[in-house]
Amino acid sequence: MVRKTLIAGNWKMNGLLEDGVALAKGVKEEFKKTGRRDCEVLVCPPFTLLTSVKKAVKGSRVMVGAQDCHYAEKGAHTGDVSPVMLKNVGCDYVIVGHSERRTNHHETNELIAQKAASAIKAGLKVIICIGETEKERDAGQTIDVCTKQIMGSVPEIATAQNTVIAYEPVWAIGTGRTPTTAEVEEVHAAIRKVVSKKLGRANANKMRILYGGSMKPTNAKELIALPDVDGGLIGGASLKVADFMAIIAASKQ
Ligand code: PEP
């Protein structure tokens, strides 16, 4: 079963116009040089940079995504951005349910499923993030927590073509700590089983499950080589062209 590796950069709330465009151009040029077609590359800048970054990567295979969206198409939602708007400025993907949104904005599984469904209907692909806190891991609840998050935040219309799952242990994000490779594979294999239960075996076999949480050039190879890991969602290390490219290089099987 071939699942194309996806390496996605989540820039979070980082980047002014000049450095965002320079970063995007750097990724574009370096990725072009590799000539690789076995791997997809995605950058997810803040809303303010989407149009400029889309322009900066034009003529390459680098895709552009947003970090969140509202579920409504338009209307009285001050400060929000709809999936239709994201599609309109050339986005290919949108991340939903990142733990920073679940925590800082109190987002529930139900809300995340609504956002994902609207994004898919607008023609975007979605990356739905899940993952346990340190307390939950210590209490042996990792698989239970991830199962509940998948059952609740993956919409019924999700398929392997329009949806990617990112397993991001909350305690590994931005901390420099990661689970062991055995722990990562255990969770990814369990996630695939839950997806099979929810969306059928064909979707589960083809759906990409990314690992995220302190992925960097030094650990990317062993993580991405795991049987049920189909790429990475990368925060800090996606902000430097050299680090991001080193992770892409490490994804060569
Ligand atoms: C993230 O927030 O999606 C992430 C994986 O961050 P970092 O790589 O910095 O841990």
Side-chain angles (χ1 to χ4, degrees):
M1 174 53 55
V2 179
R3 295 184 291 265
K4 204 173 225 187
T5 303
L6 173 63
I7 305 294
N10 172 15
W11 294 5
K12 310 196 187 194
M13 198 171 72
N14 292 295
L16 300 181
L17 192 54
E18 295 74 15
D19 29 291
V21 167
L23 176 55
K25 280 190 175 157
V27 172
K28 167 186 165 169
E29 295 310 327
E30 294 304 314
F31 186 52
K32 255 190 173 175
K33 281 185 205 161
T34 69
R36 285 180 62 186
R37 297 200 151 260
D38 61 330
C39 160
E40 293 182 356
V41 172
L42 168 70
V43 292
C44 300
F47 288 131
T48 48
L49 297 182
L50 286 172
T51 305
S52 320
V53 165
K54 183 72 193 176
K55 213 165 130 195
V57 299
K58 201 171 169 204
S60 76
R61 294 175 54 247
V62 176
M63 299 180 290
V64 177
Q67 299 169 17
D68 182 43
C69 64
H70 197 278
Y71 59 82
E73 192 180 322
K74 60 180 178 178
H77 301 287
T78 304
D80 282 313
V81 176
S82 82
V84 175
M85 290 168 167
L86 297 177
K87 185 73 187 166
N88 184 241
V89 296
C91 283
D92 304 287
Y93 273 86
V94 61
I95 299 170
V96 293
H98 191 281
S99 68
E100 286 152 15
R101 297 218 51 98
R102 289 180 187 261
T103 305
N104 303 346
H105 299 270
H106 314 290
E107 293 196 3
T108 61
N109 287 326
E110 196 185 12
L111 176 67
I112 293 158
Q114 277 184 294
K115 290 182 177 201
S118 300
I120 291 167
K121 283 180 194 150
L124 295 164
K125 293 184 180 186
V126 294
I127 298 179
I128 302 174
C129 302
I130 60 165
E132 83 287 359
T133 62
E134 185 156 33
K135 204 168 151 205
E136 289 163 341
R137 174 159 283 265
D138 290 346
Q141 295 166 342
T142 299
I143 307 278
D144 278 357
V145 168
C146 291
T147 300
K148 277 199 194 100
Q149 288 176 334
I150 293 166
M151 294 313 272
S153 55
V154 174
E156 298 301 325
I157 61 165
T159 65
Q161 284 70 44
N162 61 31
T163 300
V164 173
I165 305 231
Y167 168 56
E168 300 206 304
V170 179
W171 53 274
I173 294 178
T175 59
R177 296 162 58 207
T178 58
T180 64
T181 49
E183 286 166 341
V184 171
E185 178 54 23
E186 183 194 8
V187 180
H188 277 236
I191 290 170
R192 206 173 293 289
K193 272 200 194 135
V194 181
V195 172
S196 180
K197 208 185 283 173
K198 184 165 174 114
L199 303 172
R201 196 191 295 185
N203 277 315
N205 284 343
K206 289 188 205 141
M207 188 169 286
R208 286 168 307 172
I209 306 173
L210 311 183
Y211 171 78
S214 295
M215 188 182 274
K216 44 190 184 240
T218 48
N219 62 16
K221 198 177 168 106
E222 58 178 15
L223 287 164
I224 298 170
L226 295 168
D228 283 293
V229 176
D230 307 307
L233 179 57
I234 298 119
S238 72
L239 295 172
K240 285 195 183 129
V241 178
D243 287 352
F244 194 53
M245 289 313 301
I247 292 172
I248 293 170
S251 76
K252 202 153 190 173
Q253 302 288 326

